[in-house]
Amino acid sequence: MLLLLLMAGIVLSAGCDGPRLPTPDHPPDAKPKSPINIVISNLGMTFPAGMDENDNRYLNYIEEQTGLDIRVNTPPPEVYNEKLDVIMSSGNLPDMLHTYDPVWFDHYAKLGALHPLDELLDQYGPNLKAKIPAEVWDRVKYGGNIYAVPSLNEVTGVELMYVRKDWLDRLELAPPVTLEDYYEVIRGFTLDDPDGNGQQDTIGLTLTSKLGRSSPFFGAFGTQLDTWFERDGKLVYGNILPETKEALAFFNRLYQENLLDSEFPLNLQSSVHEKIENGKVGLFSAAWYDTRGPIAANKLKDPNAEWIMLEYPTGPEGHSGVYGKDVIRGYNVIPATSEHAAEVIKMLDFIVSDYRTLKLGFENEIWRWENGVMVTDFALHDEHLYRGIYQSLVDVPDPVLFKERLDSLGDFNLYNNLEMINQHIIPNAFYGVPTPAMSKYSKKLDRMEDVFTKIIMGIEPLDAFDTYVEQWRQEGGDEITKEVNEWYTRQEAGR
């Protein structure tokens, strides 16, 4: 779910008219570059005119520095996982694929379809081994062997609440704290003309499809979707908790009273951004980088718009918070048939070794140091945002550089947003590799979650949740729960 959202908020596409890196002269008898074929996500990025995923300044830079000829395939983000399956069954395999799905990785590792990487990392991956913690390498092992080079999450979470203070002031409402406070603000923002244009054309609360941007409201009930919780010494799945039913009832109340965006089941992230930018939304669960995205765009269109961060909604039992992100963001895997596994590891090792250039852009062009402070050229930064397609293959945390980079991007409260999220993470109690039953049943169980949207819209009654719980358990959920708790018992015994 989100995966993707995260990068797009702070990093957009590279200019072709800026200074070019010097290209080293190669004598006629120079050794030809070694070709490798890789399949990666384009993260929804676009390229400047005349450039594409196989011809641009950052890929060319990686090729020049590594002596590789890197041929890139970027399946559409909307069908990315499906395309990876098609490729793996095609018989015409690339030298590397990048997946964000741990169940996908688990499946092909256990099939024996992936190349073990231990010896290759020892020979060609010194920077990878130095910068990725040992406990993370343990997460990508099967039978004692490493089968993926992981990319790490730099942030611990995504969502936090933002509101238009000028709308609150116009309606004489205080910043909401409790869930009931939030209800009153959502109601006022829908019915009481908060923008003062004399029309009832504003939206109290918006979400994206599949209940995206809803985490703070589930947190108010002490639960999160797709998260495991400890209850009485056992791990239980958040989706089937009674608290989740209570959260769905809250959203159903909003929908039935026309206080929730009626288009939410179809909303893409871009749809929500457009509504915020155009002044139709004054309260939403923002991604931490949205202050530099749709919120900033709205302030450009309406100089009177004033946005402030809110406390997370606190529910009737005093709960609040949002989901956390797993330490692993993605997995670089090499099919067992590849004849260029060493070259792939060399490429990934270079990416992590030149982290600063690929993360920030070219020094003294995109950014520079002035009196010990990083200064970023915003326009060029955004033009070169597509560099994240390559850099994010092996992301590694660097807290000092991270703060310097965020601060250099301007007064968008980015670092403070992340600090707020970090203090209110509801942790996932299960962080092991996917269990066999997860690999077997997850896709089917995920499809069953459509009932949540139907309950909110009133297409299904609230008690359909109880039917969902029973079906979830019968269709593999009980088996998953058993395996998760076997893992949990081993973890607790090792403490």
Side-chain angles (χ1 to χ4, degrees), residues 100 104 122 208 269 287 306 363 379 451:
Y100 300 94
W104 188 97
D122 288 340
T208 62
Q269 179 174 271
E306 180 183 359
E363 187 173 1
V451 73

Side-chain angles (χ1 to χ4, degrees), residues 206-211 255 260-268 275 453-454 456-457 459:
T206 189
L207 309 173
T208 62
S209 62
K210 298 183 179 179
L211 301 189
Y255 191 87
L260 179 63
D261 185 359
S262 62
E263 297 176 342
F264 87 87
L266 302 176
N267 275 343
L268 302 175
K275 292 172 183 179
T453 296
K454 293 177 180 178
I456 291 171
M457 298 177 69
I459 297 172

Side-chain angles (χ1 to χ4, degrees), residues 99-162:
T99 180
Y100 300 94
D101 185 349
V103 174
W104 188 97
F105 163 61
D106 173 80
H107 173 70
Y108 287 102
K110 289 177 178 174
L111 279 181
L114 306 180
H115 200 301
L117 305 180
D118 302 76
E119 292 183 7
L120 293 168
L121 288 165
D122 288 340
Q123 285 185 270
Y124 305 111
N127 295 292
L128 292 168
K129 293 186 71 175
K131 294 197 175 187
I132 297 174
E135 59 269 23
V136 177
W137 288 115
D138 288 342
R139 297 266 307 270
V140 293
K141 285 183 178 179
Y142 289 91
N145 293 319
I146 293 170
Y147 284 96
V149 173
S151 181
L152 309 188
N153 271 313
E154 199 170 30
V155 300
T156 57
V158 178
E159 294 183 42
L160 76 168
M161 297 303 304
Y162 262 83

Side-chain angles (χ1 to χ4, degrees), residues 247-260:
L248 294 176
F250 173 78
F251 282 122
N252 173 259
R253 174 190 180 191
L254 295 181
Y255 191 87
Q256 296 304 318
E257 296 179 18
N258 297 317
L259 307 182
L260 179 63

Side-chain angles (χ1 to χ4, degrees), residues 64 93 110 119 141 157 186 189 241 290 385 400 422 427 447 481:
E64 289 163 3
L93 298 180
K110 289 177 178 174
E119 292 183 7
K141 285 183 178 179
I186 291 167
F189 280 11
L241 291 176
D290 280 351
L385 193 60
V400 174
N422 192 44
R447 289 193 293 268
T481 301

Side-chain angles (χ1 to χ4, degrees), residues 176-447:
V177 176
T178 68
L179 195 62
E180 198 57 32
D181 293 340
Y182 269 85
Y183 169 81
E184 292 299 333
V185 169
I186 291 167
R187 184 182 181 283
F189 280 11
T190 305
L191 303 177
D192 296 339
D193 191 23
D195 58 357
N197 69 353
Q199 302 176 46
Q200 203 173 92
D201 58 354
T202 50
I203 297 168
L205 179 69
T206 189
L207 309 173
T208 62
S209 62
K210 298 183 179 179
L211 301 189
R213 303 302 183 91
S214 65
S215 179
F217 295 97
F218 281 96
F221 292 92
T223 187
Q224 290 293 322
L225 298 179
D226 304 323
T227 301
W228 291 85
F229 294 86
E230 188 276 328
R231 295 285 191 272
D232 300 321
K234 298 286 186 180
L235 296 192
V236 294
Y237 195 46
N239 290 38
I240 65 170
L241 291 176
E243 295 93 305
T244 296
K245 183 178 182 180
E246 294 173 15
L248 294 176
F250 173 78
F251 282 122
N252 173 259
R253 174 190 180 191
L254 295 181
Y255 191 87
Q256 296 304 318
E257 296 179 18
N258 297 317
L259 307 182
L260 179 63
D261 185 359
S262 62
E263 297 176 342
F264 87 87
L266 302 176
N267 275 343
L268 302 175
Q269 179 174 271
S270 57
S271 312
V272 169
H273 284 188
E274 183 179 347
K275 292 172 183 179
I276 295 161
E277 179 180 348
N278 292 329
K280 300 303 179 186
V281 173
L283 173 77
F284 76 115
S285 181
W288 63 271
Y289 44 78
D290 280 351
T291 45
R292 194 172 180 266
I295 288 175
N298 173 242
K299 291 167 75 172
L300 278 176
K301 281 195 170 184
D302 182 358
N304 294 318
E306 180 183 359
W307 289 86
I308 59 170
M309 182 196 305
L310 290 174
E311 295 290 330
Y312 287 103
T314 301
E317 303 298 322
H319 297 297
S320 66
V322 284
Y323 72 89
K325 296 185 71 64
D326 189 81
V327 65
I328 298 178
R329 178 174 177 243
Y331 306 79
N332 300 285
V333 301
I334 300 175
T337 56
S338 172
E339 298 179 357
H340 303 286
E343 286 79 7
V344 171
I345 297 300
K346 289 177 184 177
M347 176 193 70
L348 297 174
D349 195 70
F350 172 73
I351 289 173
V352 82
S353 73
D354 200 11
Y355 181 80
R356 183 182 295 268
T357 297
L358 296 174
K359 186 77 169 179
L360 305 180
F362 300 125
E363 187 173 1
N364 297 322
E365 178 186 347
I366 310 302
W367 64 277
R368 63 190 184 279
W369 292 108
E370 286 187 3
N371 301 318
V373 176
M374 186 182 292
V375 177
T376 296
D377 183 314
F378 295 152
L380 282 178
H381 168 83
D382 286 351
E383 286 179 1
H384 288 232
L385 193 60
Y386 72 90
R387 66 185 179 270
I389 295 172
Y390 311 100
Q391 177 275 320
S392 66
L393 293 177
V394 200
D395 220 342
V396 290
D398 185 332
V400 174
L401 178 63
F402 188 54
K403 187 176 189 311
E404 290 171 339
R405 177 171 68 92
L406 294 184
D407 289 347
S408 78
L409 295 177
D411 187 18
F412 297 108
N413 222 33
L414 297 173
Y415 190 76
N416 289 339
N417 286 346
L418 286 170
E419 286 293 289
M420 177 69 164
I421 295 169
N422 192 44
Q423 293 166 19
H424 294 85
I425 293 294
I426 298 176
N428 192 340
F430 176 75
Y431 50 87
V433 298
T435 72
M438 286 180 180
S439 300
K440 186 176 181 180
Y441 299 118
S442 285
K443 287 185 179 179
K444 176 170 59 176
L445 295 180
D446 287 347
R447 289 193 293 268

